[in-house]
Amino acid sequence: MSQDLIRIRAVSKEFGATGWFKKPVGVKAVDGVTLAVKRGQTLGIVGESGSGKSTLLRMALRLIKPSSGTVEIDGQDIWTLQGAELKAFRRKVQPIFQNPASSFNPRQSIGQILVAPLEVHGIGDRDSRRAKVAALLERVGLPKDAIDRHPHQLSGGQKQRIAIARAVILQPEAVLADEPTSALDVSVQAQVLDLFDDIRRDLGLTAIFVSHNLAVIRQVSDQIAVMRHGSVVEYGEADQVFGDPQHEYTKTLIAAVPDHRKLMRAL
Amino acid sequence: MSEGFDFYRWRPVIFGAVIVGAILICAIFAPLIAPYSPYDLDYMVMLQGPSATHWLGTDEIGRDILSRIIYGARISMQVAFIAAGIGLIFGTVIGVTAAYFGGITDMILMRFMELLFSFPAILLAVVLMASLGTSVLNAMIAIGIVFIPGFSRLARAATEVVLREQYVESARAIGMSHARILFREITPNIVAPLLVEAAIAFSYAILLESALSFLGLGAQPPEPTWGNMLNTGRGFMAQSAIMSIAPGMAIFLTVIGFNLIGDGLRDALDPHMKD
């Protein structure tokens, strides 16, 4: 068995008008990306908005079908999965999305939201599910009574904690996170990021973490891929990418990270 | 959650329900409530205004208008409920299916809806009645079918909005079945606009039924419905305005009742308006 859990091979995605009366003009959101994530490690994908990083993540989650190329989990092409195998994949790989405001069904309580994955995969009975949800809420640092609240009654940071809880309740192998902290205040960002990192280490999760924020990526990633205009321009170990960036774009990105020492001097 | 019952939140709904409830009681217990038979003629008292014996006066052949209004509630309410129900259920199923599955399913369903839409409502109802045969039940079905395209487009648009929400993506990524996503994630989040539309459809159904009976396709005289009373009343506007005003007020009150319920439910069910 290879040590790569997730392998993305020459994946492209072309969005375009596909109507009868429309000219078939395509936009390449992702263009021939090849990446791999080792078991237990975190790949950070960084890039500006429109660089195709979210599209890539959605293809790895089997939410968008690639125009070409394959995504493999454990050596299996995820788009050939069906029935029980597909269900197993849905249990193995979990998402965390960017926008805390739209990540949850506004008509369900936090308890209902967190119990849903267990119900869908037929894990446990009523009581054991409830106990599991309660334990997980405590683990992500939310009060017990949050279980009966509705999403709009929670803060953005609390919602992202719930999102993390939902992503790990099935004890998955991989968590794919799409800018989970970018909608939050900086102070809250750090707490949520710490929680994510903590839980990831505890459970030995493999992760892909997409962000436009280089500082965030640096904190959580083992490997880093820099994306621009749908392609990966730089890909390597985190220290190497930060210490010795090869591509011009990466250098610009790193130079653009506000350096607090310089800021202090300027003040 | 220790949220007590919030009277102010539900006030419009309660108000509307009282009005609609009163009309429903009239419809169900018409024989007990109506002071006269709706069919009995009395040529001695034609076209009278309101009086102590006939509270809302009498019509052109001396029938008691109040009694006819009370009996008329039966057919009008049946038409409203059944027609709006048909439109709501079939329209929602078609619209949600079209938006959720997209592609060719969407194309076929929505082109068919546009086909229905392209006929004027009355004409469509008349054609449907002609093929279904003339009866009150068929009038209800025909009116219901007229409503389907409107509901389906509304449901489709609302579903498209919900589909873009990340909780639907999450649901798919978790491995939820289509059925569960449709019933648990999507439907609860599109009911608000559909309820408002249903309230409007209720009122429109009453008016459409009156147009159909005017054309001789709905309930037939001497059967009283608010619609055909209104139509008959038109001819006697100069002699006795109450003949038109009474059924008009009945329709107006019902419409207000349903609209209060529809608008009120939309606000009361909005989760963001809690607390």
Side-chain angles (χ1 to χ4, degrees), chain A:
Chain A
M1 196 168 68
S2 143
Q3 57 171 350
D4 291 340
L5 178 66
I6 304 170
R7 225 180 275 146
I8 296 167
R9 285 184 204 260
V11 161
S12 297
K13 179 68 194 179
E14 209 167 315
F15 287 114
T18 49
W20 282 9
F21 305 110
K22 290 166 194 149
K23 241 202 303 191
V25 189
V27 181
K28 274 209 165 165
V30 175
D31 191 2
V33 170
T34 300
L35 295 169
V37 193
K38 290 192 187 71
R39 212 172 278 278
Q41 299 216 313
T42 301
L43 169 70
I45 300 178
V46 67
E48 58 200 1
S49 45
S51 61
K53 52 194 196 306
S54 292
T55 307
L56 184 67
L57 196 84
R58 277 171 175 72
M59 288 193 281
L61 282 165
R62 203 185 191 273
L63 293 175
I64 302 177
K65 191 172 176 134
S67 309
S68 65
T70 57
V71 178
E72 290 167 16
I73 303 279
D74 271 336
Q76 273 183 307
D77 181 354
I78 60 172
W79 281 96
T80 63
L81 299 176
Q82 274 180 341
E85 283 183 328
L86 178 58
K87 195 127 195 184
F89 164 74
R90 289 298 188 207
R91 192 178 163 176
K92 244 193 277 187
V93 180
Q94 294 292 311
I96 299 175
F97 288 114
Q98 174 179 12
N99 187 348
S102 94
S103 288
F104 306 107
N105 187 339
R107 299 206 179 268
Q108 292 179 352
S109 71
I110 300 304
Q112 287 174 306
I113 287 166
L114 286 178
V115 126
L118 298 173
E119 287 172 353
V120 167
H121 290 274
I123 297 165
D125 55 26
R126 246 185 96 90
D127 294 334
S128 73
R129 285 173 190 158
R130 187 100 184 159
K132 207 164 185 175
V133 168
L136 204 53
L137 277 179
E138 203 183 325
R139 174 70 184 86
V140 297
L142 281 169
K144 274 201 181 72
D145 63 350
I147 201 165
D148 290 320
R149 291 205 210 144
H150 281 73
H152 66 96
Q153 294 168 311
L154 300 178
S155 71
Q158 287 175 320
K159 279 186 232 177
Q160 287 310 66
R161 286 167 188 272
I162 300 285
I164 292 173
R166 175 168 63 180
V168 298
I169 198 161
L170 288 171
Q171 291 160 323
E173 292 183 26
V175 170
L176 309 192
D178 184 12
E179 308 236 21
T181 59
S182 66
L184 306 175
D185 292 342
V186 179
S187 58
V188 182
Q189 239 180 43
Q191 294 167 10
V192 172
L193 211 58
D194 284 343
L195 176 71
F196 175 82
D197 223 25
D198 230 38
I199 288 187
R200 189 186 64 76
R201 271 176 228 282
D202 270 8
L203 303 176
L205 293 172
T206 310
I208 298 181
F209 196 104
V210 164
S211 178
H212 64 270
N213 187 334
L214 213 53
V216 166
I217 286 286
R218 182 171 202 173
Q219 190 186 333
V220 296
S221 309
D222 298 303
Q223 284 93 37
I224 289 176
V226 181
M227 281 189 77
R228 192 187 195 193
H229 302 323
S231 314
V232 171
V233 296
E234 185 143 0
Y235 176 38
E237 294 299 316
D239 297 336
Q240 179 204 328
V241 171
F242 273 97
D244 181 23
Q246 300 300 309
H247 195 275
E248 272 312 307
Y249 182 63
T250 316
K251 288 180 193 165
T252 324
L253 273 185
I254 291 171
V257 175
D259 184 331
H260 60 89
R261 270 164 302 187
K262 260 188 233 163
L263 271 173
M264 291 303 280
R265 244 177 281 142
L267 290 170

Side-chain angles (χ1 to χ4, degrees), chain B residues 32-57:
Chain B
L32 301 177
I33 297 167
Y36 299 91
S37 153
Y39 308 114
D40 281 354
L41 318 180
D42 186 350
Y43 290 106
M44 305 307 291
V45 288
M46 291 189 309
L47 292 172
Q48 282 192 347
S51 66
T53 42
H54 297 283
W55 288 6
L56 291 176

Side-chain angles (χ1 to χ4, degrees), chain B residues 13-68:
Chain B
V13 180
I14 293 167
F15 204 67
V18 166
I19 296 175
V20 172
I23 296 165
L24 275 176
I25 288 169
C26 283
I28 295 164
F29 300 107
L32 301 177
I33 297 167
Y36 299 91
S37 153
Y39 308 114
D40 281 354
L41 318 180
D42 186 350
Y43 290 106
M44 305 307 291
V45 288
M46 291 189 309
L47 292 172
Q48 282 192 347
S51 66
T53 42
H54 297 283
W55 288 6
L56 291 176
T58 54
D59 68 5
E60 82 282 8
I61 43 177
R63 295 175 296 197
D64 180 54
I65 291 178
L66 178 63
S67 301
R68 286 180 67 75

